[in-house]
Amino acid sequence: MKLGVDLISDLCLSPDDSFNWEGKATSLYCLVAGNISRNLRTVLLTLTHLSKFYQGVFYTPGYLEFQGADDYNTRIENIINVCGKIPNVILLHHHVVIINGVAILGCTGGYEYESDSGLELNDIHKLVDLAYLKNSVERLQKHLDVKKILLMTNGVPGQSLYFGEVPKHYNNDLELNLGLKFDSELKITHWVYGSYNKMVDAKIGEISYTCNPYNSHKKNSYWAKRIEI
């Protein structure tokens, strides 16, 4: 049985922005690859709105959700509490869900902070995410109920997925696609991501890579990207 999912990301909403998804769902499930808002009440309202149109909304935080936070662990706890209040919403922060033989595995995979001195990176948290990807991909290889794996990260999987527009702050020693080395059974078929300002629908090797950022469209004509697995 095929699994259909709608992909959206990088809404980058402020508390004053309006967002209406009525009549736009094309699947039973929705993937939100981060960067909803730095304002957690806006994250709560947006996910609550999306949950009205889907049987399940799977969300991984983006770097935007961490901007302005004083402490990483406290912000994660706050995001967990926000998502726990909403029916049909599952936070994919170091978490896996399995539907129709497809494991959906999520993590942020990139943390960027705005500060007075400019853009800063926190490689420690990205290392933790890389370790999680490695361990989870390895564990799912022998899972009898998992036939395919979809990875969802807010971070761009690798340098090649910037298509020649690699940002100055990019650290190619911590590429998320290092986790592919542990896919011994070749179960990973799809990787969806955010944090890139253009639409991507590309196949590299046996893996389909998809990015569908809100900021690549005119806001009044943004639609989800439907993916079938």
Side-chain angles (χ1 to χ4, degrees):
M1 180 183 296
K2 286 187 176 182
L3 174 66
V5 294
D6 283 359
L7 171 65
I8 65 177
S9 73
D10 301 284
L11 298 177
C12 301
L13 301 172
S14 71
D16 296 329
D17 289 330
S18 61
F19 178 73
N20 185 5
W21 204 248
E22 187 172 359
K24 290 192 171 185
T26 67
S27 306
L28 290 177
Y29 303 100
C30 180
L31 305 178
V32 184
N35 293 348
I36 293 177
S37 177
R38 64 183 294 167
N39 179 278
L40 291 189
R41 175 166 173 74
T42 302
V43 173
L44 170 64
L45 294 175
T46 304
L47 290 174
T48 300
H49 177 67
L50 286 169
S51 72
K52 297 176 182 178
F53 308 109
Y54 293 99
Q55 184 173 311
V57 176
F58 307 116
Y59 160 64
T60 187
Y63 71 83
L64 189 60
E65 281 82 344
F66 292 90
Q67 286 187 0
D70 294 326
D71 178 74
Y72 170 82
N73 291 322
T74 300
R75 180 52 61 97
I76 283 291
E77 287 300 319
N78 290 338
I79 294 172
I80 290 172
N81 290 336
V82 163
C83 294
K85 296 177 181 178
I86 315 170
N88 302 335
V89 171
I90 296 177
L91 177 65
L92 290 186
H93 174 71
H94 295 186
H95 191 62
V96 179
V97 296
I98 300 173
I99 307 172
N100 295 344
V102 178
I104 304 174
L105 166 64
C107 69
T108 297
Y111 299 85
E112 301 174 356
Y113 295 84
E114 294 285 354
S115 71
D116 293 338
S117 59
L119 194 64
E120 297 178 354
L121 292 178
N122 193 326
D123 286 344
I124 294 175
H125 298 134
K126 194 167 186 179
L127 281 168
V128 171
D129 280 354
L130 271 170
Y132 170 74
L133 281 177
K134 168 191 174 296
N135 294 334
S136 298
V137 168
E138 276 189 316
R139 188 172 67 250
L140 291 171
Q141 297 306 298
K142 302 301 180 183
H143 196 301
L144 296 180
D145 294 332
V146 174
K147 307 304 179 186
K148 296 182 179 180
I149 298 172
L150 180 150
L151 300 181
M152 178 168 68
T153 59
N154 178 249
V156 178
Q159 181 173 319
S160 62
L161 273 303
Y162 282 107
F163 301 98
E165 300 177 326
V166 182
K168 293 179 180 179
H169 64 262
Y170 186 76
N171 185 346
N172 57 14
D173 291 328
L174 293 178
E175 289 200 323
L176 293 173
N177 59 19
L178 292 171
L180 297 178
K181 295 180 179 180
F182 304 94
D183 184 30
S184 58
E185 303 297 315
L186 302 180
K187 291 186 176 184
I188 297 174
T189 59
H190 293 75
W191 194 322
V192 301
Y193 62 98
S195 294
Y196 185 54
N197 61 6
K198 294 180 181 177
M199 290 186 65
V200 175
D201 189 2
K203 190 162 187 177
I204 301 176
E206 297 302 315
I207 301 175
S208 296
Y209 294 89
T210 310
C211 182
N212 186 37
Y214 186 54
N215 56 9
S216 71
H217 300 69
K218 293 180 179 179
K219 291 187 176 182
N220 60 358
S221 62
Y222 179 69
W223 294 84
K225 173 67 177 177
R226 178 176 165 85
I227 299 170
E228 286 193 353
I229 308 167

